[in-house]
Amino acid sequence: MDLSSIKVWWRGLNIREQRLVLAMGSVISVFLLYSLIWQPLNENLAKTEKTLASRQALLTWVTEDTARYQNVQSTGGSKKSSGSLSSIINRTANQQQLTITRMQPQGENLQVWLDSAPFTQLLFWLEHLANNENLQVQAIDLAQGEKQGEVRVRRLQLGRK
C-alpha cells in the first residue's frame, strides 16, 4: 500500500467511520506505546531496584564483617581479657563448673591444679580461655580420673598470649 491508495481509502470512508478509525488508531498506538516501551522500562526499573537493594545489603554485611575482622586481627585473634590472670581463670572455671583445687603464680604465668574434671568440660574451658580471654596453655599434665570421662589436671600452666 502506498500513500495515495491510503488517501483514496480514507476519503471513501464517511465521517463516522473516519472517527472510528482514528479512535482505534489512538487506542492501538497507546497499547503499543505501553506494551513495547513503558512496561519493559518499568520491569527493568523494578529489577534494577531489587538488585541495588541486594547489593547494598551485601555491602553492609561486608563492611560490618570487615570491621569485625580487622578488630579481631588488631587484637591478636581474640578479644583482650580484663582483670588479673587468677580472676579470669576463677571466673571462667566457675562458668564451666570446674573446681580449681590450687593456683600458684609462676612469674607472669599461673599454674592451676584440678582434682577431677570432665574431660569435655576441660576442653571447652581451655578453648574459651584461648579464643575469648587471650590466654594460652603453655604446659599441661593430665592423669586419668577416678570416673570414666574424667581427668585429673596435675599441672596446667596458663599465660597471656
Side-chain angles (χ1 to χ4, degrees):
M1 281 180 123
D2 62 352
L3 191 56
S4 63
S5 64
I6 294 176
K7 283 183 182 179
V8 171
W9 172 77
W10 180 258
R11 288 187 182 142
L13 298 176
N14 65 32
I15 298 288
R16 187 173 180 182
E17 290 172 336
Q18 287 177 355
R19 288 183 185 155
L20 184 60
V21 169
L22 286 174
M24 286 306 293
S26 298
V27 168
I28 290 173
S29 297
V30 168
F31 173 75
L32 289 175
L33 179 69
Y34 174 77
S35 63
L36 296 176
I37 298 172
W38 189 262
Q39 186 181 14
L41 283 175
N42 274 344
E43 288 175 358
N44 284 339
L45 180 64
K47 186 174 152 184
T48 303
E49 287 174 347
K50 192 175 184 180
T51 303
L52 177 64
S54 68
R55 299 246 170 107
Q56 285 176 333
L58 179 62
L59 176 63
T60 302
W61 178 79
V62 167
T63 304
E64 289 172 357
D65 276 7
T66 300
R68 191 175 313 135
Y69 174 76
Q70 288 172 342
N71 187 27
V72 167
Q73 290 293 61
S74 68
T75 60
S78 56
K79 70 178 186 179
K80 297 208 179 213
S81 55
S82 59
S84 69
L85 200 55
S86 60
S87 67
I88 293 168
I89 291 171
N90 275 324
R91 175 179 46 84
T92 57
N94 287 335
Q95 290 171 349
Q96 292 293 328
Q97 298 172 345
L98 296 172
T99 306
I100 296 175
T101 55
R102 183 175 155 205
M103 287 183 12
Q104 180 177 342
Q106 198 76 19
E108 291 194 15
N109 299 327
L110 190 66
Q111 288 189 356
V112 179
W113 288 264
L114 290 92
D115 280 341
S116 180
F119 183 67
T120 54
Q121 279 182 280
L122 177 66
L123 289 179
F124 286 136
W125 179 52
L126 295 175
E127 177 190 26
H128 175 79
L129 290 174
N131 293 336
N132 299 325
E133 303 296 337
N134 206 23
L135 300 178
Q136 71 182 26
V137 174
Q138 295 175 340
I140 189 167
D141 184 10
L142 299 175
Q144 186 173 357
E146 295 174 8
K147 297 179 185 174
Q148 185 174 355
E150 289 189 352
V151 293
R152 216 167 36 122
V153 180
R154 292 182 181 165
R155 182 178 70 99
L156 170 62
Q157 187 166 333
L158 297 165
R160 296 192 190 270
K161 288 184 180 178

